[in-house]
Amino acid sequence: MIFNRYEWRLVLRVLLLFAAVTATVLVIFVLRQYLFLVITVPMLTYSLLDLIRFNKKAQDEVNQFVESIHYRDFSRHFDVRKAPNELKPLRKGFNDINSTFKVISRERETQYHYLQKILELVDTGIISYEQETGEIGWINESFKNLVGIPYLKSIHSLEKREPILYADVINLKPGEAKVMTITREQQQVKMLVTASIMRSEDKLNKLIAFQNVSEALDETESKAWSKLLNVMTHEIMNSVAPISSLADTLKNRLQAPDITDNLQNVDLEDIELGIDTIKRRSEGLLKFTESYRSLNKITKLDLNRVMVRDMFENLNSLMTPTLEKKNIELDIILRDPALTIEADINLLDQVLINLLVNAIEAVKDREEPQIILQAEQQSGKLLLKVVDNGVGMPPELLDKIFIPFFSTRKTGSGIGLSLCKQIMLLHKGNIQVQSTEGKGSAFIMTFPV
């Protein structure tokens, strides 16, 4: 109804202006009665000014609306009731548009906060920066925790803290993925890094995602070593066992009278010595291979809920004679005496004893040898730590000590830490090492709670 009235008012204004123009033309060019101009000219002027005023009001209303849109002030309300009748439809339309923009803006803000919350909760570290200037546009908590950097204003600031990581990130092309390694708190962390490009307001933003894959790679590596050991032990034992048996048979055969009578003593001794060597080395190789088969014997766990306090007391009783003999101090730190863990106690004891023996070896030549056995709950996980103030290890050894066959000791078999890692993986946990050369090492076992 209002809209129709507005149309009629506009039509009347146009008709009035047309009538005034027509009358003025008739008076001047047809009737030539110039006296009537006193009537037609004011009527023409009024019609023209009225139409201009009407358009100016509409233009002012549009300008105000455009200004509110420019500054994104969608809360502005155009009063329809107090508006002239001809402007009521316009103001109503503006209010409808503002209401629609409010809804869209609210939805976008909700989606933004929802996306922001998701990005904060995911374990993947995410960082985006403008490719031309390097200015950081977004960085989530997972990236800060993963890399250990609390704040970055520009991606170029990363160069001072992690120069190798910075170079890899800058050179990483969109769509590529690369495994990168950083050292954080004396631990090597492996990350799968991927990159993509987004265009926003004529600017190119590079989005980098960092995913911690250390545990996944450790598990894959452990399975690969397990398969290799299965094949290797099978083949070695199948080949060496007949050699050892044959050497034993030959040695017995040499003692027969028909052989000894036809050989000189020197030749007989040389042959016996050679056969003894073959037999001894074969048996040693069989024993060596048999020890590595223990890596693959552990496939199932006998899980029970045990008190960490009781477990530590048993370990202390077991290790006290050795510790006192070598004058080594063992400190046990357990802030929560009621702390429990679900584990295979026999296998877990084996891991802790292995780590304690290694710690004893590391501190034996220190002036004030000390070992700390500690348990605590942190970030939803249970941590068991064996810390020593021993000789420590150089950084290049930290990612090798859990590899089967690898040992830093001349008499070491290289099986202990590999076995520890497999036991921890069976517990759905992990074991990591922190070490500083000349200051000591800390082996940290992580269990899900």
Side-chain angles (χ1 to χ4, degrees), residues 322-377:
T322 303
L323 294 169
E324 289 180 349
K325 183 179 179 181
K326 298 187 177 183
N327 197 28
I328 298 173
E329 179 183 356
L330 176 64
D331 293 332
I332 295 179
I333 301 176
L334 183 61
R335 295 185 176 89
D336 183 6
L339 197 62
T340 62
I341 182 173
E342 188 175 22
D344 187 322
I345 186 62
N346 294 321
L347 293 179
L348 187 54
D349 279 345
Q350 185 176 350
V351 173
L352 289 170
I353 290 171
N354 199 319
L355 295 179
L356 287 171
V357 169
N358 287 348
I360 291 172
E361 184 71 20
V363 302
K364 65 180 183 181
D365 296 327
R366 307 295 279 187
E367 292 183 1
E368 297 181 358
Q370 183 186 35
I371 299 173
I372 299 174
L373 186 58
Q374 181 179 355
E376 62 181 343
Q377 197 163 338

Side-chain angles (χ1 to χ4, degrees), residues 224-239:
W225 277 114
S226 179
K227 291 180 181 178
L228 175 62
L229 289 173
N230 273 331
V231 174
M232 187 187 70
T233 54
H234 177 76
E235 293 298 327
I236 290 178
M237 294 192 74
N238 284 350
S239 300

Side-chain angles (χ1 to χ4, degrees), residues 7-31:
E7 287 184 331
W8 279 113
R9 287 177 178 274
L10 182 60
V11 170
L12 288 175
R13 280 185 171 84
V14 173
L15 289 176
L16 183 60
L17 179 61
F18 178 74
V21 171
T22 303
T24 303
V25 170
L26 288 174
V27 167
I28 295 175
F29 296 103
V30 179
L31 301 176

Side-chain angles (χ1 to χ4, degrees), residues 55-69:
N55 287 332
K56 189 174 185 305
K57 284 182 180 180
Q59 186 65 42
D60 290 342
E61 295 286 334
V62 172
N63 288 337
Q64 292 179 24
F65 176 72
V66 170
E67 184 180 5
S68 67
I69 294 296

